[in-house]
Amino acid sequence: MGRPEVVIFTGAGISTDSGIPDYRGPRGRWTLDPDYEKLVTIGYYLADPEIRRRSWQMRREIHALDPQPNGAHRAVAALDRSGAAAVRVITQNTDGLHQRAGLPAARVTELHGTSQAVVCTACGERTPAAAAYARVDAGEADPPCADCGGILKTATVMFGESLDAAVLGAAAAAARGCDVFFAVGSSLQVYPAAGLVDVAAGHGARLVIVNAEPTPYDAVADQVVREPIGQALPRLLAGLPAGWQ
Ligand code: ZN
């Protein structure tokens, strides 16, 4: 057998050590601010300049924190660099931290888009998010598209928007073809996470779950790891070439 094909599916839990809060946990964004959902819902966002103003402020504050990749992100990049496995990351996160840790962008499928770019809702022009945040810092509460004046939004998939069909197809193909499927820092309770686990397990992949809380797939997993992701994932991935079978 050749080198294993490894899919590493990641959710918010891999980035909490980098200081990015999750949504539903005890210190999650929704728990602390019930109004938060409106800031990330496309209907409210397009309809209400005040929601856009608050949304830009919220994103700018997270951007200003300049979150850095942690040991788990670095371990994934190191596995890819080692050549011991064919690595594909499928992530629910929009923070770009896998790429910042050194994983080539071509290896990363971002189900929910990226916060590292903004897109014009009128003309589709895509530009770096940092430039938009600089405009917010300079006093533009709701910076419009520099080309057409349309409403700009983050290049993430907001509530009320559909996931990109091509992105979903790529994720499903990776799940179908992998030998090992790691599910890391995700509750695996929402679409499409649960569906991808089904696809991988249905095609005979070894399923390894690394998550602090129980998931609906623990009973069918080959291995369930509860310890902190920053400790567990580097160890699990380092052991892959010898121990994955
Ligand atoms: Zn435009």
Side-chain angles (χ1 to χ4, degrees), residues 1 5 8 16-17 24 30 69 122 129-130 146 149 183 198 203 209 219 228 238-239 241:
M1 197 171 224
E5 297 200 13
I8 302 166
T16 46
D17 280 352
R24 292 188 175 87
W30 288 3
D198 283 331
H203 282 76
I209 294 175

Side-chain angles (χ1 to χ4, degrees), residues 120-125 145-152:
C120 174
T121 57
C123 74
E125 172 84 352
C145 173
D147 269 12
C148 78
I151 294 173
L152 284 186

Side-chain angles (χ1 to χ4, degrees), residues 62-104:
I62 294 170
H63 179 78
L65 293 175
D66 193 23
Q68 298 295 317
N70 63 55
H73 297 105
R74 286 194 295 272
V76 174
L79 175 63
D80 177 66
R81 257 196 318 277
S82 78
V87 174
R88 160 70 58 182
V89 165
I90 303 171
T91 187
Q92 296 175 299
N93 301 334
T94 61
D95 53 39
L97 291 181
H98 284 292
Q99 295 92 319
R100 281 189 73 176
L103 189 66

Side-chain angles (χ1 to χ4, degrees), residues 43-60:
Y44 289 112
Y45 186 87
L46 292 178
D48 187 345
E50 174 61 13
I51 292 290
R52 291 201 293 280
R53 186 190 69 75
R54 289 180 54 199
S55 186
W56 282 113
Q57 284 299 328
M58 178 266 296
R59 294 180 194 287
R60 179 188 145 279

